[in-house]
Amino acid sequence: MTLQKVVMTDPKQQDYFYEEAIKTLRTNIQFTGTEIKTIVLTSCYPNEGKSDILFQLAQEMGKMEKKVLVVDADIRKSSFITRYQVSEKVSGLSQYLSGQKSLHDVVYTTNFPGVDIIFAGPVAPNPSELLGQESFASLLHEMRGLYDYVLVDTPPIGSLIDAAVVAKQCDGAILVIESELVSRKMAVKTKEQLEMSGCKLIGAVLNKVDMRKNKYYSKYSYYYNSEKK
C-alpha cells in the first residue's frame, strides 16, 4: 500500500559510544533468530530513555536495509510528535483501535530509510482496554508479515499495565534501565512482570551511564580520541 509521509527531525546529538551501543544492540537482536520480529521496549520508570533508544535502534536497522515499523503504543502520554518535530497532522493507534480510522490511515513512512511509524494518536480514556483488544493483536500479526522488525514503545511497566498487555502480543521484550536510578529489587520485579505476560525477555539496556565515573570507558575514550588526531 502507498503510505502517507511525515518528516521527522532527530534531536539526538552525535555520540560515538551511544552509537556503538545501539549498533551492538541491533546486532544482538539479529542473533536472537528469525522468529523474534515484534519487540516491545519498556522501562521501570518514566524518562529512562526507552523511546529514544527505540527510535535510534529503528534507524540503525533501517541503515542495514531492514524494513522497520515503529509502533507508539504509549497512548497515555506520547512524546514522539513533539520530540521529533512532526508538523503534519497525523492520525494514530488510538483512533485505529477505537474504529475511527483504518490501518491505511495510521501507517506513515518517514524520511529515515526503511523506517515507518504508527503514532499513538489522541489520548484515550481506556488505553489498556484498547491495547487488549483483538484488533491490536491482529495489527501486530499483520505487520509482522510486512516488516523485518516491529518495535513497540510502551509506558513504563513498573507503574502501568499497558506494557504487559502489549508484551503478551510480542515475540520479545527489551527492558531499559537507567543507571543509578533503578534498584536491583525493582529491576527483578519488572522482569517478573514481563515474564508473567508470556513474553520472552531478550535483553536489557543500561542507559544514561556516567562515562566520567567509569574508568574503563574513560580510558577507552582517551585512546579513541588520541587515535583520531
Side-chain angles (χ1 to χ4, degrees):
M1 58 182 175
T2 303
L3 303 180
Q4 305 169 76
K5 186 169 184 176
V6 292
V7 176
M8 304 179 74
T9 301
D10 189 352
K12 186 73 179 177
Q13 296 181 346
Q14 286 192 328
D15 182 313
Y16 172 78
F17 293 106
Y18 189 93
E19 291 169 4
E20 288 301 304
I22 293 295
K23 289 177 182 177
T24 299
L25 178 60
R26 177 209 66 206
T27 301
N28 289 343
I29 289 173
Q30 289 176 317
F31 276 110
T32 60
T34 57
E35 293 304 307
I36 304 295
K37 300 187 70 173
T38 54
I39 302 171
V40 58
L41 273 78
T42 191
S43 58
C44 300
Y45 303 117
N47 304 315
E48 291 189 69
K50 62 173 173 53
S51 299
D52 184 63
I53 288 173
L54 182 148
F55 198 68
Q56 300 302 320
L57 176 60
Q59 289 183 59
E60 195 57 44
M61 287 175 163
K63 291 175 184 176
M64 297 301 292
E65 299 186 349
K66 298 296 183 182
K67 195 174 180 184
V68 186
L69 177 67
V70 171
V71 178
D72 184 0
D74 188 352
I75 53 181
R76 293 177 187 267
K77 192 180 178 182
S78 172
S79 62
F80 268 84
I81 289 176
T82 53
R83 178 172 177 78
Y84 296 102
Q85 302 171 42
V86 177
S87 59
E88 296 90 346
K89 185 178 180 180
V90 297
S91 301
L93 183 62
S94 61
Q95 291 160 298
Y96 169 72
L97 295 178
S98 59
Q100 300 175 56
K101 298 288 182 179
S102 68
L103 186 56
H104 179 266
D105 293 329
V106 300
V107 184
Y108 296 83
T109 186
T110 75
N111 49 306
F112 295 101
V115 180
D116 294 343
I117 187 168
I118 296 178
F119 293 99
V123 176
N126 55 340
S128 56
E129 286 83 358
L130 286 178
L131 294 168
Q133 292 180 154
E134 179 59 34
S135 55
F136 182 68
S138 298
L139 182 152
L140 290 183
H141 180 75
E142 182 176 347
M143 296 299 105
R144 195 179 188 278
L146 297 175
Y147 291 87
D148 294 303
Y149 291 101
V150 178
L151 305 180
V152 187
D153 189 32
T154 69
I157 194 171
S159 54
L160 295 167
I161 194 174
D162 301 19
V165 173
V166 172
K168 187 176 181 180
Q169 308 298 337
C170 292
D171 302 324
I174 294 173
L175 179 61
V176 176
I177 299 173
E178 181 175 340
S179 177
E180 300 185 13
L181 173 70
V182 180
S183 66
R184 182 181 183 279
K185 182 179 180 180
M186 185 60 185
V188 171
K189 179 182 176 182
T190 303
K191 172 179 175 289
E192 291 172 348
Q193 283 179 285
L194 278 170
E195 291 174 340
M196 284 175 63
S197 74
C199 184
K200 179 181 179 181
L201 181 64
I202 61 174
V205 175
L206 184 64
N207 197 30
K208 300 185 182 181
V209 177
D210 189 342
M211 308 301 279
R212 294 168 298 182
K213 292 183 180 180
N214 192 309
K215 294 180 179 180
Y216 172 79
Y217 283 111
S218 294
K219 290 179 180 178
Y220 186 77
S221 177
Y222 174 78
Y223 172 79
Y224 174 76
N225 289 324
S226 298
E227 286 293 298
K228 289 204 296 183
K229 294 178 181 177

